[in-house]
């Protein structure tokens, strides 16, 4: 029998070990009612919110590979960071608890004004504390990794063996971890009898898109990877996708083509972390039609962007499009009072 196209990617990925933290493969499911509501294309969802540990999300897949390196290096402490409601640091806190490592997080304040009274205490903040992470509050300066590195140095001087998990778990190794998603989508879509025209997702620190682009170049060359900027910084997102993608491609012994990187601007709303009408509409549609829980910072904006692209006529009714649900549900509760008034309304 002929080898499937994805075996090359599979063989290259096999050189890297994973810890086994994430529940994989995640399901690929049809979104029949949303498809009908929009009049096509044929929509599917890749449930990266179902990776399991500590409420799951897309960072666990990257952490599965990054943490292999941390354990091999004999680390006893994980150091990472993010904004107050970061899903990334919550997933780092979860894996630290599971592996019995200490966890220190630089919590950035001031990237956005707290949108609700519960923003500082609910959702991911509550979970970080539940998982036993130690929170270090620092001002947001725009440099995503400086305070994390400073914290790691301090812990190292105190005699710990810290391992730095970068902001968003985005680096070359994280992108390699994320390329495994392509392997799963290739297998699952083949089993369901379709070839995706595009895989769409929201893009922030860039590692997710970098992994998808590197993986798709090898295993799904006819599928577009459409990254929807939710940071309101499309040029910065694109630059980071190129950087981590090139690193991952080199580590996998393959080439990286900048032309395959599509970062779509214009759907981030007024600013990072601030939901707007299109986001709220997307969250409501996904809830009412599919019982799919999206969040106002990432996946809700991602679906809002995808819906706008569908309405602009990019695809035909018969195209198959995979939306990657990257997770983030806990943040929904930190935005509850900002969303409730509009969710009540219709
Ligand atoms: C981090 C995150 C993203 C973006 O992934 P990047 O690899 O940072 O681009 C998307 N959705 C959710 C829910 C996230 O937490």
């Amino acid at each position: 029998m002929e080898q499937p196209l994805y075996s090359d990617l599979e063989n290259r990925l096999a050189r890297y070990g994973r810890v086994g933290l994430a529940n994989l493969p995640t399901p690929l499911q049809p979104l029949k009612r949303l498809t009908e509501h929009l009049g096509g294309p044929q929509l599917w969802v890749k449930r990266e919110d179902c990776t399991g540990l500590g409420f799951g999300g897309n960072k666990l897949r990257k952490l599965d590979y990054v943490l292999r390196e941390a354990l091999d290096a004999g680390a006893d402490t994980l150091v990472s960071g993010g904004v107050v409601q970061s899903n990334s640091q919550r997933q780092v806190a979860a894996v630290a608890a599971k592996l019995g490592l200490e966890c220190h997080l630089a919590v950035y304040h001031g990237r956005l004004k707290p949108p609700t009274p519960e923003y500082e205490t609910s959702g991911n903040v509550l979970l970080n504390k539940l998982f036993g992470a130690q929170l270090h509050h620092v001002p947001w300066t725009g440099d995503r990794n400086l305070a994390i590195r400073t914290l790691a140095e301090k812990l190292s001087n105190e005699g710990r063996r810290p391992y730095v998990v970068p902001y968003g778990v985005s680096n070359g190794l994280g992108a390699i971890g994320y390329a495994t998603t392509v392997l799963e989508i290739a297998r699952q879509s083949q089993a369901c009898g379709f070839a995706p025209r595009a895989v769409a997702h929201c893009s922030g620190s860039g590692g997710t898109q970098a992994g998808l682009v590197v993986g798709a170049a090898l295993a799904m060359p006819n599928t577009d990877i459409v990254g929807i900027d939710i940071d309101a910084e499309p040029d910065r997102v694109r630059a980071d996708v190129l950087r981590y993608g090139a690193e991952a491609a080199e580590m996998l012994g393959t080439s990286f083509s900048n032309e395959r990187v599509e970062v779509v601007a214009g759907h981030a709303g007024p600013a990072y972390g601030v939901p707007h009408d299109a986001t709220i509409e997307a969250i409501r549609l996904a809830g009412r039609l599919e019982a799919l829980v999206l969040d106002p910072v990432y996946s809700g904006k991602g679906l809002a962007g995808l819906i706008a692209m569908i309405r602009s006529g990019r695809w035909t009714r018969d195209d198959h499009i995979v939306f990657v649900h990257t997770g983030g549900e806990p943040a929904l509760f930190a935005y509850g009072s900002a969303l409730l008034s509009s969710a009540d309304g219709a």
Side-chain angles (χ1 to χ4, degrees):
M1 212 179 95
E2 208 184 316
Q3 290 278 311
L5 192 56
Y6 55 73
S7 16
D8 181 27
L9 175 61
E10 192 169 30
N11 293 336
R12 288 171 198 268
L13 288 170
R15 292 183 224 149
Y16 293 87
R18 50 181 288 251
V19 180
L21 300 159
N23 220 338
L24 303 178
T26 59
L28 179 71
Q29 299 166 333
L31 294 172
K32 292 194 178 136
R33 300 191 68 218
L34 184 59
T35 298
E36 192 181 324
H37 176 85
L38 296 169
Q42 306 305 305
L43 292 173
W44 299 76
V45 60
K46 177 66 171 161
R47 297 293 304 272
E48 293 288 283
D49 58 319
C50 296
T51 51
L53 192 67
F55 276 107
N58 64 338
K59 306 305 185 297
L60 277 186
R61 201 185 273 275
K62 306 187 207 178
L63 283 164
D64 235 343
Y65 285 74
V66 170
L67 265 284
R68 180 75 268 154
E69 189 179 82
L71 295 179
D72 290 349
D76 60 10
T77 302
L78 298 184
V79 187
S80 194
V83 298
V84 175
Q85 283 295 336
S86 160
N87 301 299
S88 181
Q89 61 182 359
R90 182 252 310 160
Q91 288 165 83
V92 173
V95 302
K98 191 70 183 170
L99 296 171
L101 302 171
E102 240 184 74
C103 182
H104 291 260
L105 300 170
V107 181
Y108 295 114
H109 291 262
R111 186 176 181 193
L112 62 141
K113 194 163 122 298
T116 61
E118 64 273 26
Y119 182 82
E120 309 262 357
T121 51
S122 181
N124 288 306
V125 176
L126 178 64
L127 294 170
N128 288 339
K129 292 181 179 163
L130 191 68
F131 300 153
Q134 300 190 39
L135 308 183
H136 304 261
H137 299 282
V138 296
W140 170 258
T141 62
D143 185 326
R144 295 156 176 247
N145 283 297
L146 183 61
I148 299 173
R149 282 197 302 267
T150 307
L151 182 56
E153 264 166 47
K154 179 175 160 283
L155 291 163
S156 175
N157 291 338
E158 289 169 11
R160 294 203 187 68
R161 292 193 304 278
Y163 180 89
V164 170
V165 177
Y167 192 99
V169 203
S170 280
N171 57 19
L173 191 54
I176 284 180
Y178 216 78
T180 60
T181 313
V182 174
L183 210 52
E184 292 179 15
I185 295 175
R187 275 205 190 93
Q188 291 168 322
S189 58
Q190 201 175 64
C192 294
F194 73 93
R197 184 77 205 79
V199 172
H201 68 100
C202 52
S203 203
S205 68
T208 296
Q209 187 166 1
L212 291 173
V213 169
V214 169
L218 290 167
M220 297 197 305
N222 300 319
T223 303
D224 295 335
I225 303 298
V226 180
I228 295 158
D229 161 50
I230 50 74
D231 266 8
E233 297 174 342
D235 294 341
R236 200 273 308 147
V237 172
R238 188 180 157 80
D240 284 345
V241 174
L242 296 181
R243 182 158 119 233
Y244 305 134
E247 280 173 30
E250 195 184 331
M251 289 163 79
L252 291 174
T254 180
S255 58
F256 187 78
S257 157
N258 289 5
E259 286 81 70
R260 292 188 66 97
V261 176
E262 178 182 1
V263 176
V264 180
H267 303 292
Y272 172 81
V274 181
H276 61 318
D277 287 351
T279 308
I280 294 169
E281 187 208 337
I283 292 173
R284 279 164 52 179
L285 272 181
R288 285 170 189 217
L289 297 175
E290 301 285 352
L292 196 66
V293 181
L294 303 181
D295 79 277
V297 184
Y298 291 100
S299 52
K301 279 189 184 171
L303 184 64
L306 177 59
I307 289 174
M309 293 172 81
I310 288 170
R311 287 180 176 152
S312 77
R314 170 155 172 170
W315 295 290
T316 70
R317 179 182 283 268
D318 298 327
D319 283 333
H320 289 262
I321 311 295
V322 175
F323 173 65
V324 183
H325 186 337
T326 40
E329 285 101 328
L332 188 64
F333 299 97
Y335 281 80
S337 58
L339 299 176
L340 258 187
S341 47
S342 41
D344 284 345

